[in-house]
Amino acid sequence: MSIRSKTISLTIFASLALAIAACDGKQQAGAPQAPPVEVAAITIEPQRIALFTDLPGRTAAFRIAEVRPQVNGIVLKRLFQEGSDVTAGQQLYQIDPATYRAAMASAQADLAKARANLKSIEAKAARYADLVQINAVSRQDYDDIVANQDQAKAQILVAQAGVETTRINVEYTKVYAPISGRIGKSNVTEGALVTANQAAPLATVTQLDPIYVDVSQSSSDLMRLRRAVASGQMQQGAPDQAPVTLTLDGATQPYEVTGQLQFSDVTVDPTTGSVQLRAVFPNPRHDLYPGLFVRARVEQGVREQALLVPQQSLVRTPDGAAVVWVIGADNKVNPRPVEVGQVFGDRWFVNSGLQPGERVVTEGLQKIRPGTEVRVAVPAAAVPVAAKP
């Protein structure tokens, strides 16, 4: 074939290829586009919610009093039943008072003797007062009798103190309950010798109503809470007005009585990096005992402009990050990373990543991809107002 013939053949082939490509382009341009994907969505609206935190802790007695003797002696009687409730001022033990009553009688006799001595000296001083005026006695003798009179008065005061001391010792032979509460086992029985200020208590009285609940909160969480309050993102009431609910170890339902946060410690435990909080709970039926492991839910503030998303709208990436699919103004969806916090029922609290008024896909997530055009199958509705957790 000649060179001219080859040139003509290549020209015809190129023309045919361009014609075929043009026909294919016209067919593709005329093909119908895929319809928008139907999804369900909600409109994010700000609302007021109360934020809380769950903290582990243990119960502690409101007051504990160890009963000890204040005098030496033999225990004659135990006047209570172990494990029963006692009231403040109730007699618990009787120590043998015989020697203390004898000492009190001796002190009373000394007081009577001192008073009789004073009467004799007072009469003599009265006579000397008249005689010194006429120089029947010397001035020195008069001064001596006046001094003896003052000493006799002082002896009466000493005797009165002795009587009071012995009376107190007699009273100390009756051992009373210092506080109201439940008394434990007795460490002594009748016939036991007890001594004043001994190390071992006779018994221990524990006040169970009300009862303390001591919990620990991370110092980082506490500082984050304070920054949120300082920035105005959260409102916080008085510390002694924060309500606290309680769940016992192994229980499914919370304790029926609500407590109050009493105080927050001002120091951080260097070993755990936590701050201790203490709440007070009424315990009228003595359902709570000291030493129980519990979980306390502490209300720590209120967010007036909080954003919530349903749990089914949240997707976790392989690295654990939270993502929601947001519908843009052009009705196309794209993933949006968000930071979530606590769970309120079936919704997540969103710390950051969303703005009020944005639409979030709740159903049909498996049918969409980034940039997919969607159509909301049902009217987008705002998340309902969150109930108090």
Side-chain angles (χ1 to χ4, degrees):
M1 184 181 293
S2 63
I3 296 176
R4 182 176 182 183
S5 299
K6 291 181 179 180
T7 304
I8 294 173
S9 299
L10 292 172
T11 302
I12 295 172
F13 180 77
S15 300
L16 290 174
L18 290 173
I20 293 172
C23 291
D24 291 342
K26 291 179 180 179
Q27 290 178 358
Q28 292 178 1
Q33 295 182 354
V37 177
E38 288 190 354
V39 295
I42 55 114
T43 301
I44 304 300
E45 297 293 345
Q47 54 194 273
R48 185 180 188 272
I49 61 171
L51 298 181
F52 60 87
T53 182
D54 290 331
L55 302 172
R58 287 193 180 274
T59 55
F62 190 78
R63 287 194 295 177
I64 298 178
E66 293 182 339
V67 180
R68 285 186 171 86
Q70 294 180 278
V71 292
N72 305 333
I74 302 297
V75 176
L76 297 180
K77 295 179 182 179
R78 191 193 73 190
L79 303 173
F80 67 92
Q81 184 178 359
E82 294 176 321
S84 63
D85 292 331
V86 297
T87 58
Q90 176 180 338
Q91 186 176 356
L92 304 178
Y93 295 93
Q94 177 62 60
I95 299 174
D96 187 3
T99 56
Y100 299 102
R101 287 177 178 171
M104 184 173 67
S106 176
Q108 290 173 341
D110 290 341
L111 176 60
K113 179 179 178 181
R115 286 174 175 170
N117 186 40
L118 176 62
K119 290 182 179 179
S120 173
I121 294 177
E122 285 179 339
K124 188 175 181 179
R127 291 194 300 270
Y128 273 39
D130 295 335
L131 295 175
V132 75
Q133 300 295 331
I134 58 175
N135 295 323
V137 295
S138 66
R139 188 69 184 181
Q140 182 63 48
D141 292 339
Y142 176 72
D143 292 340
D144 291 342
I145 198 62
V146 171
N148 291 338
Q149 182 181 359
D150 293 337
Q151 290 179 358
K153 291 179 179 178
Q155 287 296 327
I156 290 179
L157 296 178
V158 172
Q160 287 176 340
V163 171
E164 182 64 18
T165 300
T166 56
R167 186 196 64 78
I168 291 174
N169 288 335
V170 171
E171 187 64 23
Y172 279 165
T173 61
K174 298 178 181 180
V175 182
Y176 299 98
I179 62 173
S180 298
R182 181 162 295 181
I183 193 167
K185 69 175 183 178
S186 175
N187 295 323
V188 297
T189 59
E190 291 83 352
L193 174 64
V194 296
T195 59
N197 304 320
Q198 65 182 28
L202 304 180
T204 302
V205 181
T206 305
Q207 182 177 343
L208 300 176
D209 183 24
I211 195 167
Y212 286 133
V213 175
D214 295 329
V215 298
S216 298
Q217 183 179 24
S218 168
S219 58
S220 59
D221 292 343
L222 185 61
M223 296 304 296
R224 183 164 54 250
L225 172 67
R226 291 182 176 178
R227 286 194 296 267
V229 173
S231 64
Q233 298 178 355
M234 181 186 300
Q235 295 181 0
Q236 190 177 36
D240 57 352
Q241 296 177 356
V244 183
T245 57
L246 202 64
T247 302
L248 303 182
D249 187 22
T252 57
Q253 297 296 327
Y255 183 58
E256 59 186 10
V257 181
T258 301
Q260 295 289 330
L261 187 65
Q262 187 181 53
F263 81 97
S264 173
D265 207 347
V266 295
T267 58
V268 178
D269 189 339
T271 59
T272 62
S274 60
V275 179
Q276 188 177 44
L277 311 178
R278 168 165 281 183
V280 180
F281 278 79
N283 191 26
R285 298 185 305 185
H286 296 174
D287 295 330
L288 303 179
Y289 286 91
L292 288 176
F293 178 79
V294 296
R295 294 197 65 85
R297 174 167 288 185
V298 184
E299 184 175 315
Q300 295 193 313
V302 175
R303 279 190 181 265
E304 298 291 345
Q305 301 292 321
L307 302 180
L308 300 176
V309 295
Q311 290 188 9
Q312 67 269 21
S313 65
L314 192 73
V315 180
R316 292 287 182 179
T317 61
D319 61 354
V323 174
V324 295
W325 289 81
V326 179
I327 303 175
D330 56 357
N331 289 331
K332 292 183 179 181
V333 295
N334 285 288
R336 176 84 59 80
V338 294
E339 180 184 350
V340 295
Q342 299 172 353
V343 176
F344 291 82
D346 60 346
R347 287 157 291 168
W348 284 99
F349 168 64
V350 180
N351 290 320
S352 62
L354 284 178
Q355 298 297 326
E358 291 187 311
R359 293 180 297 170
V360 173
V361 177
T362 59
E363 296 180 12
L365 297 173
Q366 69 280 5
K367 301 182 294 183
I368 58 178
R369 297 291 183 271
T372 301
E373 185 178 357
V374 297
R375 180 175 65 86
V376 179
V378 295
V383 177
V385 176
K388 183 178 180 181

